[in-house]
Amino acid sequence: MARPLLCLALLCTSLAFTTCAGIRLELTHVDAKEHYTVEERVRRATERTHRRLASMGGVTAPIHWGGQSQYIAEYLIGDPPQRAEAIIDTGSNLIWTQCSRCRPTCFRQNLPYYDPSRSRAARAVGCNDAACALGSETQCLSDNKTCAVVTGYGAGNIAGTLATENLTFQSETVSLVFGCIVVTKLSPGSLNGASGIIGLGRGKLSLPSQLGDTRFSYCLTPYFEDTIEPSHMVVGASAGLINGSASSTPVTTVPFVRSPSDDPFSTFYYLPLTGITAGKVKLAVPSAAFDLRQVAPGMWTGTFIDSGAPLTSLVDVAYQALRAELARQLGAALVQPLAGTTGFDLCVALKDAERLVPPLVLHFGGGSGTGTDLVVPPANYWAPVDSATACMVVFSSVDRKSLPMNETTVIGNYMQQNMHVLYDLAGGVLSFQPADCSSI
Ligand SMILES: *[C@@H]1O[C@H](CO)[C@@H](O)[C@H](O)[C@H]1NC(C)=O
Ligand SMILES: *[C@@H]1O[C@H](CO)[C@@H](O)[C@H](O)[C@H]1NC(C)=O
Ligand SMILES: *[C@@H]1O[C@H](CO)[C@@H](O)[C@H](O)[C@H]1NC(C)=O
Ligand SMILES: *[C@@H]1O[C@H](CO)[C@@H](O)[C@H](O)[C@H]1NC(C)=O
């Protein structure tokens, strides 16, 4: 409903310059780029997840943190262009980058800070501009002129002003509304050297919403591959799965659960998870444990998919059932990880992992027939934690301490490796298709 408004107010002119096919982004894996070993990568992903979980404690405002993802897109901002790097986050909306005025309250980033005074295309968005009324992230300052942006994540807050700029993704340039951020109070290392975030959530300021696009897709290359191929993401009409005669790979198609209208978390892409099977055994967890539900006025929990969360966390009743069932199946093969690796309580010898750990099947409701089961191979929920040991890297939501996140199931990006994931917002469905993302 609001999308045409934004298009009319801001984008129709610039959209005329873009092709209909959509924009492409190439995503690099931060840890791969910095040549960490396998053990270091797991430790870093776990630290980031725990930092994220830990910092959720005590937060009552609508907070979501998407800043810990390992997948980063490079783009250009301004005319003439300046380089920037952003984490790709389906768990938030705002597109933002640190601006040169942020010093000294910004965090360290790999690239120089974006300097709006060096760009012919930079324009401040005023309070009277339609864009200032588009998101819960925006507010008019007391001077009645400046449109400010303020957003909270689990790891802290950011603030700045709303502006428009030319952003260039590979060869496409589009004019977008973004946050020029001058205060970043995030826990150290949160963004791993990126300059900001590109939000892909349901909100009106997200990249797909601003482009007026109703589909996007990505294929995330594995964390632990020696060859470092970039991942790809497409926003727009050409987003899709592998199709045609060459592909007989099964596609899982799941309807999104409609977000409640008064839900401050309606940023999120909720899914109708109904149950989980480990190997051949269906876990005895009531499907209601995963349902979207209100837990306090205006506060909702449920199950959503998040490209900006590294690891999956399950609502505690499901986590306990999964842990118990895998412990039963793995029996004598279970080992203690080497000293110094903490936070994992279900581990086997590395050589046993591929052979003994069963796949998971996530069962989704609301669709038709058999196409709504998603098979999660062992490599998408177990990881090597040292040179001899692999452990389950799924956590309990209770690690997050407070509502609503302590009762929310989040499907993180580790579980989405080597799959095409297509968000079809007009069709109201999410599709998964196993793929070798490195070869695309
Ligand atoms: C980029 O910005 C310039 C102003 O410097 C403007 O003339 C141009 O049309 C913009 N390009 C796009 C594709 O929006
Ligand atoms: C801003 O607008 C409000 C309401 O229109 C008005 O009461 C207030 O005086 C204005 N503030 C300034 C600084 O102009
Ligand atoms: C794949 O192709 C079939 C027909 O060839 C079409 O119906 C379907 O929509 C396509 N799927 C995607 C995701 O493009
Ligand atoms: C989640 O946190 C709230 C307090 O914010 C607490 O009352 C509730 O029992 C917690 N839920 C679980 C499953 O631990």
Side-chain angles (χ1 to χ4, degrees):
M1 240 168 69
R3 196 169 291 136
L5 170 74
L6 177 64
C7 181
L8 287 174
L10 294 164
L11 290 172
C12 282
T13 47
S14 64
L15 281 176
F17 291 94
T18 72
T19 69
C20 290
I23 60 175
R24 296 186 153 271
L25 294 83
E26 199 166 84
L27 313 179
T28 49
H29 194 292
V30 235
D31 288 355
K33 201 162 147 183
E34 301 191 2
H35 304 290
Y36 289 100
T37 65
V38 163
E39 294 84 22
E40 284 167 338
R41 288 182 215 173
V42 176
R43 186 177 46 70
R44 287 164 54 80
T46 307
E47 279 171 9
R48 284 189 294 264
T49 300
H50 283 304
R51 214 159 38 216
R52 172 174 181 148
L53 300 182
S55 54
M56 301 296 294
V59 167
T60 51
I63 296 293
H64 42 264
W65 167 238
Q68 308 287 0
S69 163
Q70 286 75 15
Y71 297 96
I72 288 189
E74 265 198 65
Y75 64 99
L76 300 171
I77 178 167
D79 179 15
Q82 304 172 36
R83 290 173 66 202
E85 290 180 328
I87 281 169
I88 292 300
D89 184 20
T90 60
S92 67
N93 299 314
L94 194 66
I95 301 168
W96 62 268
T97 194
Q98 295 192 105
C99 286
S100 48
R101 277 182 295 131
C102 73
R103 275 168 293 189
T105 56
C106 44
F107 51 82
R108 190 195 61 80
Q109 61 180 49
N110 298 332
L111 296 170
Y113 298 108
Y114 157 73
D115 181 354
S117 71
R118 285 177 42 221
S119 171
R120 282 187 291 271
R123 303 267 178 282
V125 169
C127 286
N128 295 332
D129 285 304
C132 195
L134 285 176
S136 55
E137 299 87 355
T138 59
Q139 53 183 266
C140 185
L141 291 190
S142 55
D143 66 2
N144 287 350
K145 291 197 189 84
T146 311
C147 183
V149 287
V150 181
T151 296
Y153 300 90
N157 301 303
I158 56 152
T161 54
L162 198 64
T164 56
E165 251 296 9
N166 284 7
L167 270 65
T168 304
F169 300 96
Q170 300 206 349
S171 56
E172 298 289 345
T173 299
V174 287
S175 172
L176 294 173
V177 176
F178 77 106
C180 171
I181 297 306
V182 294
V183 181
T184 48
K185 292 190 174 159
L186 299 172
S187 49
S190 295
L191 293 197
N192 286 102
S195 5
I197 291 179
I198 291 179
L200 296 159
R202 288 190 179 279
K204 294 163 198 159
L205 289 172
S206 75
L207 180 62
S209 297
Q210 289 201 48
L211 293 172
D213 281 326
T214 57
R215 49 200 285 140
F216 62 91
S217 63
Y218 52 73
C219 197
L220 303 177
T221 53
Y223 279 41
F224 303 125
E225 219 155 69
D226 290 336
T227 54
I228 300 160
E229 295 299 326
S231 307
H232 289 93
M233 167 157 199
V234 179
V235 181
S238 62
L241 304 172
I242 311 166
N243 214 343
S245 52
S247 172
S248 55
T249 324
V251 176
T252 301
T253 298
V254 175
F256 288 116
V257 175
R258 192 175 309 220
S259 307
S261 55
D262 65 340
D263 174 15
F265 282 77
S266 62
T267 299
F268 297 141
Y269 295 101
Y270 288 110
L271 298 176
L273 185 63
T274 58
I276 299 176
T277 292
K280 295 194 166 61
V281 178
K282 177 105 194 271
L283 304 180
V285 177
S287 67
F290 303 109
D291 282 354
L292 182 62
R293 60 199 185 278
Q294 195 165 21
V295 286
M299 200 183 267
W300 296 77
T301 68
T303 300
F304 63 84
I305 181 166
D306 189 355
S307 71
L311 303 179
T312 291
S313 49
L314 293 178
V315 65
D316 191 56
V317 57
Y319 172 79
Q320 297 302 341
L322 174 63
R323 196 196 170 286
E325 176 56 27
L326 289 176
R328 193 189 65 75
Q329 290 183 27
L330 295 169
L334 292 176
V335 299
Q336 292 293 319
L338 297 182
T341 45
T342 53
F344 308 105
D345 58 0
L346 208 58
C347 306
V348 297
L350 197 52
K351 63 180 170 44
D352 288 341
E354 282 289 316
R355 193 167 58 87
L356 297 180
V357 174
L360 292 185
V361 181
L362 305 185
H363 305 285
F364 293 99
S368 53
T370 55
T372 54
D373 283 349
L374 177 67
V375 177
V376 177
N380 278 17
Y381 79 109
W382 281 61
V385 299
D386 59 41
S387 56
T389 319
C391 300
M392 182 168 82
V393 289
V394 170
F395 293 91
S396 167
S397 63
V398 293
D399 293 354
R400 303 197 190 202
K401 308 287 189 263
S402 66
L403 283 171
M405 294 310 291
N406 69 345
E407 297 186 9
T408 300
T409 294
V410 180
I411 300 175
N413 62 39
Y414 192 81
M415 208 170 254
Q416 302 172 45
Q417 300 171 85
N418 269 345
M419 288 184 206
H420 265 286
V421 185
L422 171 66
Y423 295 66
D424 174 357
L425 308 182
V429 293
L430 182 73
S431 297
F432 300 94
Q433 183 181 37
D436 176 3
C437 296
S438 306
S439 70
I440 289 162

